[in-house]
Amino acid sequence: MTTLDLHADPVDLTAALVDVQSVSGQEAALADAVQAALLAQAGHLEVVRNGDAVLARTNLGRPSRVVLAGHLDTVPVNENLPVRREGSGDDEVLHGLGTVDMKGGDAVFLHLAATVTEPRHDVTFVFYDNEEVEAVRNGLGRIEREMPEWLAGDLAIVGEPSNAVIEAGCQGTMRVELRQTGKRAHTARAWMGVNAIHALGEPLRRLEAYEARVVDIDGLTYREGLQAVRISGGVAGNVVPDEAVLAVNFRFAPDRSPEQAEKHLGEVFDGYELSVVDLSPGALPGLTAPATAELVQAAGGAVAAKLGWTDVARFAALGMAAVNFGPGNPTLAHTREEHVAAREIRQVTRVLRDFLGQ
C-alpha cells in the first residue's frame, strides 16, 4: 500500500496522490492510503470509513464547524499517468491525471488535517468517492443518507479547481425535452404526412431570440443560459418523420428555486409540453455568513461567482454556506493536458491555514 506523508510539502503530496490511480469506482487503494495516513499522522482527529470515502474531524467544542470536502476519484486515464514534474520552487508545474480535478485540493486538505491541530473552528474533512459519474453514485449522497451528522457545519469548502480564487455558490442546471409528434408519409407524397421535425421550428426560434438574465447576488454576477443541446428524430431518408425531440439545457442563477426555473421554462415554451429529465439546484453564495466572510478576508477579499454546478449545491441544500476553493484551472479538468502550478497549491494552503487559525 502507498504510504502518504501528510506533513510533506503539499506539492509533493499532490504528486503522490496522482500516482495512485483512482478512476471512479476504483478508489479503494487511494482511500486505504488516505485512511492509514490520517490514523497514523493525525491522532487529534476522529477518523471513520464509509465505503471508499474517508472522513475525519476535530471535536474541540468550537462554536462553529467548517467542512473541507474533496473527491478522490478521477475520470479515466488518458495517457497522463504517472505524474510528470517540470521546473522548481513555486514555478514548478505538475502534469497528470487528477492534478487539477482534484488531487491538488485533496493534498491541501490532507496536509492541513495533519498539521493544523488547534484550529479556531472545528473542522471536518471529507474525502469521497464517485463524484465524476452519475449523481446516484456520488459518495456525498451516501454519506448524507448513512452519516448525515458528518456533513453538518456552518461553511463547506469544496476543493474543486478555481484558479486559487474563492468561487461562491453555483448555478443550477435543468435539462428538459420538448417532444413533437406528426404523421409518417413517403416523402414523394409529403402532403399526406405531418413533419415532426419541422414542428420544432417555433421552439428553436424562441431559443434564438431568448435573452438570458444577468443577476447580481451578494455582489457577484451570475449569467444564465438557455441552449438547445440536442435534436433527435427521423425514420429514413424517404420518410416524413412522425416524432422529434428537442433537448434544452437551462443554467439558472441560484436565486431561482428549481420550481421557479421550471415555471420560467414553461413561460418561454408556452403552448408546448416539457418533460424535466435532469435537475440539480444551485447554491447561493452565502457571503454574509460569518465563516464565509472570514475566509474571504483570509483570501485577500477576492471572490468570484461559480457559473457551473459543483457539489457545493449539496451542502447548500443542507442549509450551509458553501464555496469552491482549490488550485488549478477548471478548463483543464478532464483533459489529457491537465496540469497545476505549485504556486497555486501553496497559495490555497496558506489561505486555509490562515483561515483555520494555526
Side-chain angles (χ1 to χ4, degrees):
M1 182 175 67
T2 300
T3 299
L4 302 172
D5 182 0
L6 305 188
H7 290 83
D9 184 330
V11 176
D12 295 331
L13 183 53
T14 298
L17 293 175
V18 170
D19 278 343
V20 182
Q21 185 173 321
S22 57
V23 174
S24 302
Q26 304 170 30
E27 302 96 334
L30 183 54
D32 289 344
V34 167
Q35 182 180 17
L38 288 170
L39 287 171
Q41 302 170 47
H44 59 288
L45 298 176
E46 176 188 2
V47 180
V48 299
R49 181 76 171 256
N50 179 275
D52 284 331
V54 182
L55 302 91
R57 65 185 176 188
T58 62
N59 293 294
L60 301 171
R62 303 293 195 243
S64 58
R65 179 173 291 275
V66 175
V67 180
L68 302 181
H71 63 82
L72 297 175
D73 63 318
T74 70
V75 296
V77 181
N78 189 13
E79 299 181 4
N80 49 0
L81 282 181
V83 71
R84 178 167 53 87
R85 304 176 69 161
E86 293 182 346
S88 61
D90 280 348
D91 292 326
E92 184 179 13
V93 176
L94 279 63
H95 300 259
L97 177 63
T99 50
V100 169
D101 192 12
M102 53 168 286
K103 292 185 177 180
D106 288 333
V108 172
F109 294 169
L110 283 167
H111 179 74
L112 294 173
T115 60
V116 179
T117 58
E118 291 288 336
R120 69 165 60 96
H121 307 275
D122 267 312
V123 186
T124 301
F125 300 90
V126 182
F127 302 98
Y128 61 102
D129 54 313
N130 283 313
E131 188 273 346
E132 299 289 8
V133 289
E134 56 270 26
V136 295
R137 294 173 57 190
N138 190 304
L140 281 181
R142 185 185 67 249
I143 294 166
E144 182 181 353
R145 292 189 300 272
E146 299 177 2
M147 308 169 65
E149 70 280 4
W150 277 84
L151 298 184
D154 300 279
L155 169 66
I157 302 172
V158 179
E160 290 283 358
S162 64
N163 294 300
V165 173
I166 294 170
E167 292 185 331
C170 72
Q171 288 185 274
T173 179
M174 176 180 289
R175 187 161 50 88
V176 300
E177 289 183 347
L178 188 157
R179 187 178 305 270
Q180 291 290 76
T181 58
K183 180 181 178 182
R184 291 192 192 188
H186 197 295
T187 52
R189 295 175 291 279
W191 64 89
M192 300 180 67
V194 177
N195 194 307
I197 292 178
H198 292 180
L200 293 177
E202 174 59 23
L204 288 170
R205 281 188 286 272
R206 295 186 191 183
L207 282 170
E208 186 178 20
Y210 182 82
E211 294 186 7
R213 187 176 67 125
V214 179
V215 60
D216 182 281
I217 305 173
D218 288 352
L220 302 180
T221 300
Y222 291 88
R223 298 178 181 273
E224 296 187 330
L226 185 62
Q227 293 288 315
V229 293
R230 188 183 69 253
I231 292 179
S232 59
V235 180
N238 60 352
V239 177
V240 174
D242 60 347
E243 183 177 77
V245 179
L246 171 65
V248 178
N249 182 222
F250 184 33
R251 296 287 176 148
F252 54 94
D255 63 336
R256 291 193 201 261
S257 68
E259 294 76 19
Q260 290 169 330
E262 185 175 359
K263 181 175 183 293
H264 176 66
L265 292 188
E267 294 167 349
V268 172
F269 296 106
D270 182 38
Y272 296 91
E273 183 176 345
L274 302 177
S275 298
V276 177
V277 295
D278 185 55
L279 170 64
S280 295
L284 289 165
L287 296 181
T288 58
T292 315
E294 283 185 39
L295 176 62
V296 172
Q297 182 178 7
V303 61
K306 181 66 176 178
L307 299 184
W309 188 93
T310 72
D311 277 328
V312 298
R314 293 180 180 270
F315 289 101
L318 298 176
M320 303 165 59
V323 302
N324 304 276
F325 186 45
N329 184 339
T331 65
L332 294 172
H334 303 184
T335 70
R336 182 184 297 181
E337 296 75 26
E338 202 172 343
H339 61 271
V340 66
R343 177 181 293 103
E344 289 194 6
I345 296 172
R346 295 189 178 112
Q347 179 183 346
V348 173
T349 304
R350 285 192 296 268
V351 168
L352 290 179
R353 184 180 297 280
D354 182 48
F355 166 64
L356 293 175
Q358 181 175 307

